[in-house]
Amino acid sequence: MIRAAMIGFGGIAQSHKNSYLSLEKRGIPVKLVAICDIDPKAFESRVKINIDTGEAGLGGDFRTYTDLEEMLANEQIDLIDICLPTPLHAEYAIKMLERGYHVQSEKPMALTEEDCRRMIEARDRSGKQLMIGQCLRFYRQYEFLKACIEDGRYGKVTAAHFERLSGPPRWGWNNWYMKPELSGGVIYDLHIHDCDMIRWLFGEPKAFSAVAAATFVKHDTVFVQYYYENLPVSAVAEWSLKGTGFRAGYRVGFEKASVIFDENGVTVYSKEDGAAEKIEIAPYGGIEAEIEYFVDCIEKGIAPEKNMPESSARTVAIANKLLYSADHMGERMEFDAPKYGN
């Protein structure tokens, strides 16, 4: 049995908490034993964010703390799940790894390539496992697309577009999302998911470019072009749609069909006869599947190959260059994927 504890109980942490409770009910060998947040009010109300985080309230058989050292002293813990604001990811991941815990940390891995490298080095020194919450790799809608590409059922991909759209995220602690120096803006918060997914589906891009706008804060709308050999790939991410709910999806053209994920789910449209096939998707979400996968890796003593931190670090490297491109009128940035370790 893997005993898990969470650090941070803001918006996305609600999904993590509910995922642990669901996994325990399903008989997966993991138990959430404790949650720590410096704000005691975090345990009294549910933070509303741009996605449905599930059942409100605490629920479950776990203890709450406002002091991290007290939690670590009082609880037997195998896995630390970090749901803190982005600027704290590297600091706490490194501390927890060095103190002998396995660590799962929310995306983005960090704000700088150097911090990503330090996290990987801390994992190597500790002998523990580290995984970053690039959860789209575990959502069935994206796993289906990955399978379509890999088995060639509709032929080769001819074009692809991805999007993640939301109103301004003003629910964060001390409004940290709306401070680009802390959050990295929409590139690091929203587009980081599609950037990681594009790499997972198509490999490393040769180059990329970004143009951005500022409606409420700097870089709260971004349009990105990824350059592959004979394959146009684009993406858009927005925080500027005030008053709207969160939306995400993709449109991917193949030689024989188009695969579209939108508010109607995943649909395959045949290019031969125009027939539409609705794809049935498993009901539970990517965060639950992600935690289940990492627990299995820990139980087996193996690295999380589906979602290695080295890959998450390369996504951060691209995000960093996209910020530069956005600040320089969409300058095309060549990409030589960084390497880690020996």
Side-chain angles (χ1 to χ4, degrees):
M1 176 68 69
I2 301 299
R3 295 158 297 194
M6 294 170 54
I7 305 176
F9 200 57
I12 198 62
Q14 311 286 341
S15 289
H16 286 244
K17 181 264 297 183
N18 289 328
S19 293
Y20 283 109
L21 300 184
S22 176
L23 290 168
E24 186 177 353
K25 288 181 181 178
R26 290 173 46 215
I28 304 302
V30 62
K31 179 173 179 57
L32 180 64
V33 298
I35 303 175
C36 181
D37 194 289
I38 61 172
D39 182 5
K41 293 181 180 179
F43 303 116
E44 299 172 3
S45 62
R46 176 184 172 195
V47 178
K48 292 185 178 180
I49 64 174
N50 60 359
I51 60 173
D52 182 8
T53 55
E55 184 180 351
L58 283 175
D61 178 23
F62 53 84
R63 287 164 290 280
T64 61
Y65 295 84
T66 55
D67 184 274
L68 176 59
E69 291 302 325
E70 181 183 1
M71 182 181 78
L72 298 179
N74 290 346
E75 304 289 345
Q76 288 187 311
I77 300 168
D78 305 300
L79 165 63
I80 295 287
D81 189 335
I82 297 173
C83 295
L84 294 166
T86 295
L88 301 175
H89 289 177
E91 175 187 350
Y92 280 86
I94 292 168
K95 285 180 179 178
M96 295 301 100
L97 286 165
E98 290 178 340
R99 294 177 68 164
Y101 301 104
H102 301 288
V103 171
Q104 173 168 317
S105 182
E106 256 298 332
K107 62 78 193 168
M109 187 172 181
L111 286 173
T112 69
E113 294 177 62
E114 178 56 30
D115 275 346
C116 292
R117 193 175 297 276
R118 290 173 55 235
M119 292 167 76
I120 292 169
E121 290 171 350
R123 176 208 60 187
D124 293 343
R125 289 194 305 270
S126 71
K128 297 298 181 178
Q129 298 297 346
L130 169 66
M131 192 173 80
I132 309 303
Q134 294 287 174
C135 60
L136 286 201
R137 297 189 183 202
F138 299 88
Y139 273 88
R140 300 297 186 254
Q141 297 91 336
Y142 293 87
E143 289 183 322
F144 172 77
L145 179 59
K146 174 82 165 174
C148 292
I149 294 170
E150 291 190 340
D151 66 21
R153 68 188 72 176
Y154 305 121
K156 294 180 180 179
V157 177
T158 57
H161 175 75
F162 300 80
E163 60 184 27
R164 302 183 75 76
L165 313 173
S166 171
R170 301 188 184 278
W171 53 81
W173 180 73
N174 285 346
N175 204 28
W176 70 272
Y177 282 106
M178 304 303 286
K179 301 172 183 177
E181 69 277 12
L182 299 180
S183 68
V186 78
I187 291 175
Y188 271 83
D189 181 65
L190 278 190
H191 179 65
I192 199 85
H193 279 300
D194 284 337
C195 176
D196 187 74
M197 179 51 51
I198 288 166
R199 293 181 52 251
W200 193 51
L201 294 173
F202 306 120
E204 304 295 357
K206 298 179 64 175
F208 37 78
S209 61
V211 291
T215 302
F216 300 106
V217 295
K218 185 179 183 181
H219 297 152
D220 61 4
T221 299
V222 63
F223 295 84
V224 182
Q225 184 70 47
Y226 289 91
Y227 300 96
Y228 290 89
E229 193 71 36
N230 299 319
L231 176 62
V233 179
S234 64
V236 58
E238 288 200 46
W239 271 353
S240 62
L241 303 179
K242 191 172 183 178
T244 69
F246 173 73
R247 304 198 304 275
Y250 56 73
R251 301 191 303 275
V252 179
F254 292 80
E255 292 172 313
K256 300 177 184 178
S258 293
V259 181
I260 297 177
F261 169 41
D262 56 19
E263 64 274 9
N264 298 312
V266 177
T267 308
V268 177
Y269 296 90
S270 170
K271 289 184 176 178
E272 295 180 356
D273 57 14
E277 177 189 4
K278 185 71 176 292
I279 304 301
E280 296 299 322
I281 300 295
Y284 65 98
I287 292 178
E288 181 172 337
E290 172 187 76
I291 295 172
E292 181 178 358
Y293 172 79
F294 193 41
V295 166
D296 186 59
C297 289
I298 294 170
E299 287 260 295
K300 294 176 179 176
I302 60 175
E305 293 185 357
K306 184 175 180 178
N307 206 18
M308 294 291 287
E310 288 85 349
S311 183
S312 296
R314 293 185 185 104
T315 297
V316 169
I318 291 178
N320 186 266
K321 289 179 178 293
L322 287 174
L323 284 176
Y324 182 92
S325 177
D327 284 335
H328 292 81
M329 300 182 67
E331 180 178 333
R332 175 177 165 133
M333 308 294 294
E334 303 297 321
F335 186 57
D336 184 15
K339 297 178 173 58
Y340 305 94
N342 298 324

